[in-house]
Amino acid sequence: MLQILEHQRVDIARQIVAVQIEAYQEEARLIGFSDIPQLTERKEDIIKSKEMFIGEMIERKLAGVLSFEKENERLTICRLVVRPRYFRKGVGSRLLAYVLQRYSECECMVSTAERNTPAIKLYEAHQFSIIKRTAAADNLVLVTMKRD
């Protein structure tokens, strides 16, 4: 079940951190880059965040999280993370589709690692295209994608 997450609550913030640690550890292995900033986030960082968070619960556990910021008519997806045991079960796609439908009038942007092929394929399936590549660190290229 999709729901808006009250990320200012300590218990919810802890769950978000747990999901993203699992997901970003997997991404770090996939892209060969371990300094992903969200791997060091704590519940206090989530609680203070200005992002909006939505999540999908499966069997009363948080399976995936999407956060975004909306400024005027631009929506920026800040994170889309899914627990590895729920990979390729549609969790990320449902979270993304929900936000895109709810904010259909907005221009939508996202960035991810160029080597994160599963994420790029997910965004492409939702009509995103790569508009920019940026060398972010040694051995890391980020792509910025925009929804057509």
Side-chain angles (χ1 to χ4, degrees):
M1 176 170 82
L2 295 179
Q3 61 189 62
I4 294 172
L5 299 174
E6 296 177 47
H7 65 281
Q8 297 89 356
R9 287 181 33 191
V10 172
D11 60 324
I12 300 294
R14 276 193 187 115
Q15 291 177 56
I16 291 169
V17 168
V19 171
Q20 72 180 32
I21 284 173
E22 284 185 44
Y24 284 122
Q25 284 175 341
E26 208 45 49
E27 181 178 351
R29 280 190 283 278
L30 176 70
I31 67 172
F33 183 79
S34 60
D35 290 332
I36 298 171
Q38 290 86 349
L39 280 170
T40 61
E41 279 188 326
R42 303 174 334 262
K43 69 180 183 311
E44 293 82 8
D45 300 313
I46 298 296
I47 288 168
K48 291 180 200 169
S49 176
K50 302 294 183 207
E51 298 165 23
M52 294 184 65
F53 289 77
I54 62 166
E56 180 164 359
M57 303 295 282
I58 298 177
E59 298 170 354
R60 292 189 274 187
K61 284 195 146 195
L62 191 57
V65 175
L66 184 150
S67 74
F68 63 93
E69 294 178 335
K70 183 180 179 294
E71 187 175 323
N72 300 320
E73 297 304 311
R74 175 176 279 185
L75 188 82
T76 303
I77 296 170
C78 303
R79 72 191 83 214
L80 175 53
V81 291
V82 175
R83 286 186 190 273
R85 72 179 137 234
Y86 297 111
F87 281 0
R88 293 172 195 40
K89 296 188 186 317
V91 173
S93 189
R94 285 190 295 275
L95 288 164
L96 186 56
Y98 173 83
V99 169
L100 294 174
Q101 181 181 7
R102 184 164 182 191
Y103 297 98
S104 61
E105 76 287 353
C106 292
E107 172 183 77
C108 191
M109 310 285 286
V110 66
S111 293
T112 191
E114 185 175 53
R115 281 188 246 143
N116 190 345
T117 307
I120 291 172
K121 285 182 180 179
L122 171 67
Y123 292 119
E124 287 175 340
H126 288 270
Q127 287 74 52
F128 282 79
S129 299
I130 295 172
I131 60 168
K132 184 170 93 173
R133 286 178 169 76
T134 308
D138 288 343
N139 204 27
L140 178 67
V141 175
L142 295 178
V143 293
T144 301
M145 302 180 79
K146 180 179 173 184
R147 187 159 194 243
D148 298 328

